[in-house]
Amino acid sequence: MSNKRSNSFRRAILQGSRQLKGCSLRDEVGLGLSQRLVRHVAYETLPREVDRKWYFDSYTYCPPPWFILAITIAEVAVFMYYGLQLDRLVLQVSSPSFLKSPLPYHPQLRAQAWRYLSYIFMHTGIEHLSLNMAMQLLVGVPLEMVHGALRIGLVYVCGVLAGSLAVSVTDMTAPVVGSSGGVYALVSAHLANVVMNWSGMKCQFKLFRMAMALVCMSVEFGRAVWLRFYPPAFPPCPNPSFVAHLGGVVVGLTLGVVVLQNYEQRLQEQSLFWIFFCVYTLFVLCAVFWNIFAYSLLDVRLPPPP
């Protein structure tokens, strides 16, 4: 039986929540370290006390937040492998062999469909990787503990795919690397959820922490914009595009917000989820047709293959 709550069940819970323990979850004493962590995550991500109590009582660490951890370990491992192979950790993108990997998206190789997702495992340098991994772990792990790997994986992968497709449509000559599409989808969805439920969110220093998250996102986005327009090390191939960040933000502010707003409810019962999912699917289909036909119709001059 599914553990997702229907709308009718949710209404019953909301009406009967006053019959639960009268004290706030913050007033619980005698909690172990793991229970305090779960309580902390509940206040970080959930705006309603009844949902926080539900989560606190039902969470068992089984399964653990494996998706974000597995993606992060894989990205760090791939970065270290290419760091040793290219003999550099800073600005790996300046190496002539960087784009020869089978992982990055390259406009000349856009027929290789796996590159629209696999580009997340390559990063331009340790400065790029560090910012992405910090945001991915600090935001992604708590969100996955609350919403589960399936939902957070959906938002992350949709952000990744939207990022590469957005580049292929708007910045047609540029390659793409980095996990920023998925990271920005998660962070944008979380920040929007906090703003939309400002009075209900009880996390400490929320204004300061939101400001710090926005600063980190701005620094990373600014670095990407600077790198895109910096003279490339090996012209005529330009440096990687920054548009994937924007694709991730759009996914986070639409599909991601709906997922985070409906904790423990069946998404298939939410009309807004289907609206955004259909719009996203339409965008993917249009982008696929664009990649098939537009490059030749517009006679785009692409850089040579790596």
Side-chain angles (χ1 to χ4, degrees):
M1 180 181 295
S2 171
N3 64 346
K4 300 299 180 185
R5 293 179 283 181
S6 65
N7 285 333
S8 59
F9 182 78
R10 178 175 179 78
R11 285 193 293 270
I13 287 294
L14 288 174
Q15 292 171 1
S17 60
R18 305 301 179 269
Q19 300 175 9
L20 296 176
K21 288 184 294 186
C23 63
S24 168
L25 188 58
R26 285 194 185 278
D27 299 329
E28 296 281 351
V29 295
L31 300 179
L33 180 61
S34 63
Q35 290 176 307
R36 291 200 298 270
L37 174 61
V38 173
R39 182 176 62 180
H40 174 75
V41 169
Y43 277 98
E44 288 289 309
T45 56
L46 295 172
R48 303 178 185 89
E49 186 67 17
V50 62
D51 285 336
R52 290 192 283 260
K53 289 182 178 180
W54 175 282
Y55 169 71
F56 180 78
D57 290 337
S58 61
Y59 188 71
T60 62
Y61 287 99
C62 185
W66 61 269
F67 176 79
I68 292 296
L69 294 177
I71 287 289
T72 302
I73 292 171
E75 289 169 355
V76 172
V78 170
F79 176 80
M80 295 306 299
Y81 170 77
Y82 281 101
L84 295 174
Q85 190 177 71
L86 302 175
D87 195 25
R88 67 183 70 189
L89 295 178
V90 179
L91 283 179
Q92 287 185 356
V93 69
S94 62
S95 170
S97 301
F98 181 77
L99 291 177
K100 293 181 180 180
S101 165
L103 298 177
Y105 167 84
H106 191 282
Q108 281 281 18
L109 304 174
R110 64 188 184 279
Q112 299 176 358
W114 70 84
R115 291 179 181 266
Y116 290 91
L117 296 175
S118 64
Y119 74 92
I120 67 171
F121 297 107
M122 298 287 290
H123 288 78
T124 58
I126 194 168
E127 67 289 345
H128 186 196
L129 177 77
S130 300
L131 283 170
N132 275 351
M133 294 305 97
M135 290 189 288
Q136 186 165 287
L137 290 172
L138 291 175
V139 176
V141 170
L143 288 180
E144 186 177 346
M145 288 177 65
V146 172
H147 297 280
L150 184 61
R151 291 187 174 200
I152 296 306
L154 173 67
V155 176
Y156 189 90
V157 172
C158 285
V160 169
L161 183 58
S164 55
L165 289 175
V167 171
S168 70
V169 171
T170 62
D171 197 1
M172 300 169 69
T173 63
V176 189
V177 295
S179 59
S180 299
V183 172
Y184 274 56
L186 292 180
V187 177
S188 299
H190 178 56
L191 293 182
N193 189 40
V194 172
V195 171
M196 293 168 64
N197 299 279
W198 187 260
S199 60
M201 299 298 290
K202 302 300 182 182
C203 50
Q204 295 180 331
F205 312 112
K206 57 185 175 183
L207 184 59
F208 171 76
R209 292 164 69 175
M210 276 198 63
M212 290 303 299
L214 290 174
V215 167
C216 290
M217 293 175 70
S218 300
V219 168
E220 158 57 14
F221 183 69
R223 181 209 59 81
V225 173
W226 169 82
L227 182 62
R228 172 65 179 86
F229 295 106
Y230 189 80
F234 302 96
C237 182
N239 286 322
S241 177
F242 61 87
V243 177
H245 298 68
L246 303 179
V249 169
V250 172
V251 169
L253 294 180
T254 52
L255 194 62
V257 167
V258 176
V259 171
L260 299 192
Q261 283 279 79
N262 291 282
Y263 166 70
E264 282 298 330
Q265 295 178 70
R266 299 186 182 97
L267 288 178
Q268 61 267 30
E269 294 183 358
Q270 311 302 316
S271 57
L272 200 57
F273 170 77
W274 287 111
I275 291 173
F276 285 137
F277 188 79
C278 289
V279 170
Y280 178 82
T281 303
L282 181 62
F283 161 72
V284 171
L285 293 175
C286 290
V288 168
F289 281 104
W290 179 275
N291 276 270
I292 295 174
F293 300 109
Y295 281 75
S296 57
L297 292 175
L298 298 176
D299 195 23
V300 179
R301 297 182 62 181
L302 296 176

